[in-house]
Amino acid sequence: MPEMRAPTSAQLGWLLAAVTATLAPHAVELPYWLIALCTSLIAIRAALLWRRGKPPRQLLILLVAIAAGIGVRLEFGHFFGKDPGVALLAVLLCLKLLESHTTRDLRAAVLLAYFLQLGLFFYNQTPGIAALALAGALLTTTTLLSLEDAAARPAAQLRTSTLLLAQGLPFMLVLFVLFPRVQGPLWGLPSDAYSGMTGLSDTMTPGSISQLGLSDAIAFRAEFNGPPPPPPQRYWRGPVLSRYDGRTWRPGFSTIAAAPGYAPSGRAYEYRLTLEPHNQPWLLALDFPAANVPKARYAGDYRLLAEQPLRTRTRVELRSYPATTVGKDESAFVLAEARRLPADVNPRGRALALEIAAKSANPAAILAGTLERMRGMGLTYTLNPPLLGTHAVDEFLFDTRQGFCEHFASAFVFLMRAAGLPARVVTGYQGGEINPVDGSLVVRQSDAHAWAEVWLAGRGWVRVDPTALSAPARIESGLSAALQEWDALPLLRRPGLDWLRDMRHRWEALSNTWNQWVLGYNSDRQRDLLERIGFRQPDWRMLAMLLGVSATTLMLLLMAWAFAQRRRRDPLDAAWARFSRKLARHGAGRHPWEGPLDYGKRLAMTFPGRAAPLRAISERYASLRYGAQPADPRSVRLLARSIRRLKLK
């Protein structure tokens, strides 16, 4: 049976290359021990192929499979999910490669490889991942072609595979543009599908935000219609934390409404926000967004919230007014919550606040006095603050005097509350970096920040950023300008790497274009595109009709092109046509009804001195064209050479 044939060395070589190209991009997501196991299995198969050795016994492969399954269970705690599923498939693909005895085994491995190439998009959908998946698909398709024609040269197989993928591109584009865009995924994702997302938490403890300071991952991008706001106004609002237990800050009570609870005023900034998925509902808008944001809600603490947690890349058109006055008529319940403190924590900080409050009953004077005292304490802004104990605020203010933004914000809000002023912590992002290639403002996880809001009668909630007391450069120029601990910063935040940052800017500009035009092609953009080309109010029936007509037209065009290519480029027919033209120049052209053997006989009688080579060429062509076996390239080249060397005089 053909499926039970032993694979050739070339077929195994193609599969080895396909498996390597398929698994290599998964290495950043798989556990280290699993990467080592897969690498070892691939290396063993490569060595066996080089030495023409036999695959290991089935019992040994079974034991490795059982051990790998146990390892996956211990690593992830379960079998059913995205991460353990991909891990198991990776091991099974390597084991299938190792045990391949027949071409049927190779076909099973090819199917596994295709599936794992799709699995790359569970983790990432960047243009780089798309290119790697396409490279894996090219090698896997070449492996499949080698199973159909083992005698073809490797270069010819790779060329045919490339041509097949190129022929599929028009169909891919038609499906991308016209296939109905559905809201949400086509199938349910496993429970751990969103476990790897990073971003702000809805709680804050000492050290929680400084961990994000080590991440260079993009949190979101903003593209402004005009100049962006100056750095001191680039506060991107996230969770608002009002409840404090002595160590951890948590969200307080907040109403949710369809419209904002304030009247926007001051200068407006229009921009498009493209947020990376973070599995939370907050939209991280610039303070303070205007009304009528589609599919959004407005919290009473002035956050902008999505209807569902952001689990896919999300684009929002916004208009914000940073100078808006908010909270002048704040409720008594919210203000009482913003004054509450646990009774048995931070006695030294409480005593300091009472000392400041005793000097003046004016809230503005208390605020100014607190800032002045903190400025004179010699507090240091650092990405690696020491660990704090039970009385975290006291230890930060009077002992270690080293902290990140959450230490400054927590200590300041505690002092404000201890002095009798309503105050709360706000977390989000501050700043951002302009990409010089496309002009977008890129905000990274390392731009995560915490600041404070203090309520003053007649003024409402006033933003105060106590971090600026010790590190004003953090607000104006970002994290890297405020820290001297360059070794602790992400690589591309360190000085002296301008050329590398320029490369990153270019790559991120390309990724942003990909996100906007490919990943951001949703049902609204599809409808707008069809309406621009003349289809009013397109529905699924119209899309299905357009899809069918376009696919049929493409198929007919490709069939016509294939037939034309075959007639024009078939080397055997081309050689025979040259032979007929050469004889026609000597008055012995071939008649349309005349077969090659009859033509050869007539030529032998017309040119008796060259009868033997003329008969040989005619018979060789008939054998290659109409024989049981397909014409191999070497025989065709020999025939073409005989025709070129034929002399009739």
Side-chain angles (χ1 to χ4, degrees):
M1 296 176 62
E3 290 294 313
M4 303 307 292
R5 293 194 308 264
T8 65
S9 297
Q11 291 169 339
L12 286 171
W14 279 119
L15 181 61
L16 191 64
V19 170
T20 303
T22 298
L23 292 182
H26 282 284
V28 295
E29 306 293 344
L30 296 175
Y32 292 124
W33 66 267
L34 195 64
I35 298 170
L37 175 61
C38 291
T39 303
S40 300
L41 294 175
I42 293 173
I44 291 172
R45 192 65 183 95
L48 291 174
L49 179 61
W50 178 262
R51 298 177 180 178
R52 300 185 182 276
K54 294 183 179 180
R57 295 182 179 275
Q58 292 289 334
L59 178 60
L60 179 59
I61 293 177
L62 179 61
L63 291 176
V64 173
I66 294 173
I70 294 173
V72 169
R73 179 65 173 79
L74 294 175
E75 176 75 28
F76 299 102
H78 54 92
F79 283 123
F80 300 103
K82 175 194 65 175
D83 295 328
V86 171
L88 284 173
L89 283 176
V91 174
L92 291 176
L93 176 58
C94 293
L95 290 174
K96 195 64 183 177
L97 172 67
L98 192 60
E99 71 157 5
S100 295
H101 296 278
T102 65
T103 54
R104 181 179 181 179
D105 294 330
L106 266 64
R107 292 183 189 277
V110 162
L111 294 177
L112 277 174
Y114 279 132
F115 195 86
L116 275 170
Q117 288 152 19
L118 290 175
L120 285 172
F121 298 104
F122 283 141
Y123 300 100
N124 210 327
Q125 298 178 16
T126 63
I129 288 296
L132 291 173
L134 185 61
L138 176 64
L139 291 173
T140 308
T141 304
T142 307
T143 305
L144 201 58
L145 287 173
S146 72
L147 298 177
E148 300 298 328
D149 187 5
R153 292 181 301 166
Q157 292 170 342
L158 186 61
R159 185 169 55 251
T160 303
S161 178
T162 304
L163 181 61
L164 286 174
L165 292 183
Q167 289 173 347
L169 285 177
F171 293 94
M172 179 194 71
L173 292 174
V174 167
L175 287 171
F176 175 78
V177 173
L178 296 178
F179 192 85
R181 320 300 286 189
V182 297
Q183 298 296 329
L186 291 174
W187 54 80
L189 292 178
S191 59
D192 65 342
Y194 312 109
S195 58
M197 296 181 180
T198 59
L200 287 172
S201 170
D202 59 356
T203 63
M204 189 187 79
T205 56
S208 59
I209 296 181
S210 60
Q211 295 175 359
L212 289 177
L214 300 173
S215 173
D216 228 12
I218 294 176
F220 56 89
R221 293 179 174 91
E223 298 173 76
F224 287 87
N225 297 335
Q233 290 187 349
R234 295 177 192 168
Y235 282 84
W236 310 89
R237 196 179 192 86
V240 178
L241 312 177
S242 296
R243 295 178 181 174
Y244 181 57
D245 62 6
R247 184 170 181 83
T248 302
W249 292 89
R250 292 182 172 85
F253 171 78
S254 179
T255 59
I256 304 296
Y262 50 81
S265 60
R267 179 174 177 178
Y269 292 93
E270 295 185 0
Y271 59 102
R272 177 171 62 243
L273 204 62
T274 304
L275 298 113
E276 298 298 315
H278 52 69
N279 202 26
Q280 299 290 350
W282 43 77
L283 290 175
L284 301 169
L286 191 71
D287 283 343
F288 294 94
N292 301 320
V293 178
K295 301 178 182 179
R297 295 292 182 267
Y298 297 80
D301 52 17
Y302 316 116
R303 290 171 298 151
L304 186 65
L305 303 174
E307 295 177 341
Q308 299 292 333
L310 271 62
R311 292 173 175 170
T312 59
R313 188 174 287 105
T314 303
R315 188 173 60 178
V316 189
E317 301 282 347
L318 295 170
R319 181 188 294 110
S320 289
Y321 297 80
T324 298
T325 299
V326 296
K328 293 177 65 174
D329 300 320
E330 191 61 87
S331 69
F333 177 84
V334 172
L335 294 179
E337 188 176 51
R339 291 188 179 96
R340 193 173 296 125
L341 283 176
D344 54 350
V345 295
N346 304 312
R348 288 183 287 174
R350 194 183 302 268
L352 174 63
L354 293 176
E355 176 190 336
I356 296 172
K359 296 180 179 180
S360 175
N362 187 324
I366 295 174
L367 170 60
T370 303
L371 291 174
E372 187 63 29
R373 288 296 294 270
M374 289 185 68
R375 184 180 292 109
M377 285 181 168
L379 304 175
T380 303
Y381 184 68
T382 174
L383 194 60
N384 295 304
L387 296 176
L388 302 177
T390 303
H391 302 289
V393 170
D394 281 359
E395 293 177 28
F396 166 62
L397 290 176
F398 302 103
D399 299 331
T400 68
R401 302 193 180 189
Q402 298 180 47
F404 201 57
C405 60
E406 64 265 37
H407 300 79
F408 284 85
S410 178
F412 175 77
V413 172
F414 180 89
L415 294 176
M416 287 290 95
R417 291 188 177 191
L421 274 64
R424 60 194 184 188
V425 174
V426 183
T427 60
Y429 297 85
Q430 195 282 324
E433 177 185 23
I434 299 292
N435 187 321
V437 178
D438 62 1
S440 63
L441 181 73
V442 180
V443 179
R444 305 182 187 280
Q445 295 296 347
S446 55
D447 293 314
H449 194 53
W451 58 96
E453 285 184 338
V454 180
W455 190 85
L456 300 175
R459 296 176 59 186
W461 290 104
V462 177
R463 181 174 63 233
V464 180
D465 195 339
T467 302
L469 298 174
S470 296
R474 167 64 183 87
I475 311 305
E476 291 288 342
S477 305
L479 180 66
S480 57
L483 292 174
Q484 298 300 316
E485 304 159 354
W486 293 326
D487 290 340
L489 287 171
L491 176 63
L492 294 180
R493 291 268 178 158
R494 301 175 190 175
L497 296 174
D498 293 341
W499 65 273
L500 200 54
R501 280 190 288 272
D502 181 66
M503 291 179 60
R504 182 179 67 173
H505 286 318
R506 295 180 185 281
W507 172 253
E508 289 179 348
L510 173 63
S511 298
N512 188 35
T513 302
W514 171 271
N515 295 339
Q516 301 298 333
W517 293 99
V518 178
L519 301 184
Y521 185 72
N522 54 21
S523 56
D524 294 333
R525 298 190 68 178
Q526 184 184 55
R527 182 175 58 254
D528 293 342
L529 173 63
L530 293 175
E531 288 179 350
R532 282 199 300 269
I533 60 178
F535 296 96
R536 299 297 178 187
Q537 298 181 342
D539 55 12
W540 68 269
R541 297 179 183 84
M542 180 178 292
L543 288 174
M545 180 191 70
L546 290 173
L547 189 60
V549 171
S550 301
T552 302
T553 302
L554 280 176
M555 183 65 72
L556 292 175
L557 290 174
L558 281 175
M559 289 174 62
W561 175 81
F563 282 123
Q565 291 295 105
R566 182 177 179 85
R567 292 187 61 184
R568 184 169 64 251
R569 295 188 178 179
D570 187 337
L572 182 58
D573 283 346
W576 182 247
R578 284 196 298 272
F579 178 70
S580 300
R581 289 195 298 271
K582 178 178 284 192
L583 271 300
R585 289 196 294 268
H586 293 81
R590 184 175 62 86
H591 301 303
W593 61 85
E594 201 168 21
L597 296 180
D598 290 336
Y599 186 39
K601 293 177 182 178
R602 182 164 67 84
L603 292 176
M605 291 185 292
T606 305
F607 304 97
R610 306 295 295 162
L614 290 170
R615 280 181 177 273
I617 290 173
S618 302
E619 291 171 359
R620 188 58 179 159
Y621 170 75
S623 175
L624 292 174
R625 172 54 68 202
Y626 304 110
Q629 297 296 328
D632 62 280
R634 182 174 180 276
S635 299
V636 175
R637 289 196 298 271
L638 290 175
L639 177 64
R641 186 183 306 166
S642 300
I643 294 172
R644 285 197 304 271
R645 294 178 177 177
L646 177 65
K647 303 295 183 183
L648 297 177
K649 291 185 179 179

